[in-house]
Amino acid sequence: MNDGITAWLKATYAAMNLKGFDISTIAFDGCDQGLINQISELGIQVRQLPNRKTNIFAYMKSFHSLLMDQKYDVVHVCGNSATMAFELFEAKCAGVKMRVAHSHNTKCTHPFLDKILRPLLYFSATDYFACGKDAGRWLFGKRNFTVIPNGKNINDYAFSETMRMKKRQELGFSKNDIIIGHVGLFNEQKNHKMLIKIFNEISKMDPRYRLCLVGDGELINQIKQLVSEYGLSDYVSFLGHRLDVPQLLNAFDCMVFPSLYEGLPNVVLEWQLNGLPIVMSDSITNECVITPLVHRESLRHSALEWAKSIYAYREKNMNRLINSQNAQIQARAKGFDIYEDATFLRKIYLQYSE
């Protein structure tokens, strides 16, 4: 419960009129307490259950008890594969009227299990949602699905020179430092190994460059070791899980995103709204590109080729304030306003609760 799906949940329900709704969300044991507090402050009950990955049987038993006790009208499951069938089948057995499978990605890390469970997913769900067309087609095929964009509170991500100076001072950077940023979990999908190789090359080209990595995850110690092996420890900052990401983005100068795959990544939209130039892998859907600020680079290219692209592309996109203002206009025009998306979702929920 600390990823793009969580970010979508927080933003959507913060923007939604919750009058007449009693909403709960599940957090696994050991979830960050600050995150739980944030969600609770929205008026959402956080139900802590055993960890789904490490103790599936205890999790499913607790989930069953929760469904039988609360008698929900809607169970909305967000995920990246057909393993959502576990919760949706249980919800079907419990008599839940609306059972949503919401696809947030275009690949998964367990394709065999995904393939086996797809028939059960289709049997159990009443509605199919997706963050974008690619994510919907990947999981639901030719079945009808509804696109719920990963909308944003657009004003939260507007560039601020005052905030930029404040955050750079907090992080200990000078006005001459050029900061590359990355926000994401430390896992195989995000491809941090490639990111470090890229930064190693660009730091040779220009010693003013620094790298800030926001997030946590299972591979963080491995990446820290790689940074040390390259002799980059003085140039790379591990910022951990942050609750101030919209403000923190102002401190950065460029974002690099070499993911192996994504659904419709929230962060790419956020970075554009802040006016940041972005170099991302060509494996990521073009649906998240709403401005000319995004350059797509092939994962087949070398780290040096990526570094050269980053260096050149950042130089072309220096007017941060204008970039940010233009991105806000495009986001609203393309349906990424979180208030409109939350209103639309509320109407869908109400159809099943009447």
Side-chain angles (χ1 to χ4, degrees):
M1 190 177 172
N2 183 12
D3 52 20
I5 291 175
T6 307
W8 174 84
L9 182 150
K10 288 194 299 178
T12 299
Y13 292 112
M16 185 181 289
N17 175 6
L18 300 182
K19 184 178 180 180
F21 285 177
D22 183 5
I23 298 179
S24 301
T25 190
I26 290 173
F28 299 145
D29 287 341
C31 180
D32 180 77
Q33 189 59 48
L35 187 57
I36 290 175
N37 292 342
Q38 274 193 331
I39 294 174
S40 298
E41 288 170 2
L42 299 177
I44 297 173
Q45 297 185 63
V46 179
R47 310 281 185 173
Q48 289 192 258
L49 302 184
N51 193 297
R52 187 179 189 263
K53 290 184 178 180
T54 59
N55 198 343
I56 184 65
F57 295 108
Y59 167 75
M60 290 306 301
K61 182 179 179 180
S62 298
F63 184 69
H64 171 79
S65 298
L66 180 64
L67 292 182
M68 299 308 293
D69 180 58
Q70 296 298 313
K71 308 296 183 185
Y72 294 112
D73 295 301
V74 178
V75 168
H76 186 156
V77 185
C78 295
N80 303 321
S81 73
T83 59
M84 290 184 282
F86 290 130
E87 288 87 358
L88 292 169
F89 179 71
E90 192 67 53
K92 181 180 177 70
C93 294
V96 176
K97 290 183 287 186
M98 181 184 189
R99 305 178 298 276
V100 179
H102 193 155
S103 175
H104 283 265
N105 222 320
T106 56
K107 288 185 180 179
C108 68
T109 57
H110 36 263
F112 181 70
L113 185 59
D114 171 68
K115 183 177 180 179
I116 291 174
L117 288 173
R118 286 202 179 197
L120 184 61
L121 176 73
Y122 304 145
F123 172 75
S124 302
T126 60
D127 295 78
Y128 304 124
F129 292 176
C131 63
K133 293 179 181 178
D134 289 348
R137 284 191 288 260
W138 177 75
L139 189 56
F140 308 130
K142 295 182 180 180
R143 294 168 178 81
N144 292 328
F145 60 87
T146 300
V147 173
I148 307 289
N150 288 342
K152 295 293 167 189
N153 187 338
I154 292 171
N155 293 335
D156 284 354
Y157 293 91
F159 174 70
S160 165
E161 183 65 39
T162 301
M163 185 59 65
R164 174 177 172 82
M165 294 173 61
K166 177 182 177 182
K167 287 299 178 182
R168 287 175 75 95
Q169 185 176 24
E170 288 178 5
L171 294 170
F173 294 117
S174 74
K175 65 179 182 179
N176 294 322
D177 291 327
I178 303 171
I179 306 175
I180 293 175
H182 181 279
V183 181
L185 289 173
F186 283 80
N187 57 26
E188 292 293 341
Q189 173 187 343
K190 299 302 182 187
N191 205 11
H192 282 85
K193 289 182 181 179
M194 180 63 172
L195 177 58
I196 300 306
K197 292 177 182 178
I198 294 166
F199 181 71
N200 183 52
E201 295 296 338
I202 203 167
S203 65
K204 296 175 185 176
M205 296 165 58
D206 191 331
R208 295 176 299 165
Y209 274 84
R210 302 291 185 269
L211 176 63
C212 284
L213 303 175
V214 181
D216 51 27
E218 57 191 16
L219 298 184
I220 189 168
N221 290 330
Q222 183 178 324
I223 300 304
K224 286 181 177 180
Q225 179 62 34
L226 184 62
V227 168
S228 178
E229 290 173 3
Y230 275 114
L232 296 171
S233 297
D234 291 338
Y235 301 91
V236 180
S237 300
F238 292 83
L239 303 185
H241 172 58
R242 302 281 297 222
L243 301 178
D244 62 342
V245 171
Q247 296 77 32
L248 191 62
L249 294 178
N250 292 282
F252 302 156
D253 297 293
C254 179
M255 307 301 287
V256 180
F257 204 48
S259 292
L260 300 176
Y261 56 90
E262 293 284 346
L264 198 159
N266 290 305
V267 290
V268 176
L269 293 169
E270 295 168 4
W271 301 340
Q272 289 172 90
L273 289 171
N274 196 254
L276 282 158
I278 302 154
V279 178
M280 73 176 192
S281 71
D282 62 354
S283 67
I284 300 172
T285 177
N286 212 41
E287 292 179 87
C288 65
V289 179
I290 62 172
T291 70
L293 289 169
V294 181
H295 171 76
R296 304 177 84 210
E297 190 77 17
S298 173
L299 287 172
R300 294 188 296 272
H301 290 173
S302 68
L304 179 57
E305 289 175 291
W306 273 72
K308 289 179 178 178
S309 292
I310 293 164
Y311 191 86
Y313 203 65
R314 191 194 74 83
E315 294 294 326
K316 295 179 182 179
N317 293 277
M318 301 295 286
N319 197 328
R320 188 73 169 273
L321 182 60
I322 296 299
N323 289 342
S324 177
Q325 291 171 344
N326 289 338
Q328 291 175 61
I329 294 170
Q330 289 301 314
R332 291 189 172 93
K334 293 180 181 293
F336 288 107
D337 188 318
I338 192 64
Y339 291 99
E340 293 181 7
D341 299 338
T343 299
F344 176 64
L345 185 58
R346 175 183 169 85
K347 290 179 181 178
I348 296 176
Y349 286 161
L350 285 173
Q351 292 175 9
Y352 281 86
S353 61
E354 291 175 351

